[in-house]
Amino acid sequence: MAESSNFKAGFVSIVGKPNVGKSSLMNKLMGENLSIITAKAQTTRHRIMGILNGADFQVVYSDTPGILEPKYSLHEAMMSYVKVSLEDADAILLVVAIEDVYEPELFERFLHIKTPILLVLNKIDLAKGSQVDDKVAYWKSSLPNLREIVTVSAQTGKQVDTLLPKLLSLMPEHPAYFPQDEYTDRTERFFAQEIIREKIFLNYEQEIPYSTEVSVTSFKEEPDIIRIAATIYVERDSQKGIIIGKAGSSLKKVGMQARKDMESFFAKKIFLETHVKVADNWRKEKFKLRQFGYLE
């Protein structure tokens, strides 16, 4: 596709605290389920790019891990993705939920950023009375350097379509950064891992989902089927038993749900094989974090 002379291309970073709806927003903006969406906080661990292509534009969205105070080496690695994505953005979508309040230790950094910031007030479908107007006024006074405040519901899609024109007005004239038939910078193997990880978040309680990591050890595409082998890593032996469940029932359920989602994501029949292994305290060890792709 030949690019027009006034073609626009740029990077948009989607940032905010855990569980404010960043992944839901990116998926709605992209029309693709690229990011894990669950009701649990801290489900996005990597920076995931979604590439939206139009006739005269390319917008590269980055869904980043939720901003938090780091407790583990894993958290530090996650926060470094946020830092990088703020540095190379042409525009920032700072997502806050309707119930959120200004916390200096998390939000103060945005007062010193020169990049245009659109504050996205999300979950307006849960607002009562004049709450939306009140919150718009509240965030205007808390972060006076905001370019604009946009109110949306990423869950229902309400007003999400108002964002793209606003973002395009902030994008520089620039050739496309990626081929125009690409929609993400991540591999198919990565998305297979993310789908399995999402099912773990949906099926297990408390600390279990946060203690697990998934690695696809084999991804073989044949004409009518993709054969995938994956290992689920946990931090302790006791967690291994919980993941597997009685007579393997829990692991089987995760496998069935993941296979179903993969079949719709890859539009192909999937054969999925899963194993569970222990990787002691992997969230605190730099070597293991490097192995799982969190550190360079």
Side-chain angles (χ1 to χ4, degrees), residues 175-188:
Y177 288 95
F178 295 92
Q180 282 177 270
D181 55 354
E182 282 187 18
Y183 65 93
T184 180
D185 64 328
R186 293 289 183 172
T187 62
E188 291 182 322

Side-chain angles (χ1 to χ4, degrees), residues 53-120:
N53 292 296
D56 55 359
F57 70 85
Q58 182 178 79
V59 177
V60 185
Y61 293 108
S62 281
D63 181 18
T64 57
I67 298 168
L68 44 77
E69 290 298 305
K71 289 194 180 114
Y72 303 102
S73 298
L74 169 64
H75 288 168
E76 284 164 21
M78 284 158 61
M79 289 312 94
S80 73
Y81 295 142
V82 176
K83 188 170 179 288
V84 168
S85 75
L86 289 175
E87 284 165 1
D88 65 14
D90 294 296
I92 294 166
L93 290 181
L94 173 57
V95 186
V96 295
I98 194 81
E99 69 276 8
D100 280 346
V101 293
Y102 181 84
E103 296 169 61
E105 68 279 8
L106 298 183
F107 289 103
E108 205 168 88
R109 71 193 80 192
F110 295 101
L111 288 168
H112 313 295
I113 289 172
K114 300 282 182 275
T115 308
I117 302 171
L118 295 181
L119 184 114
V120 180

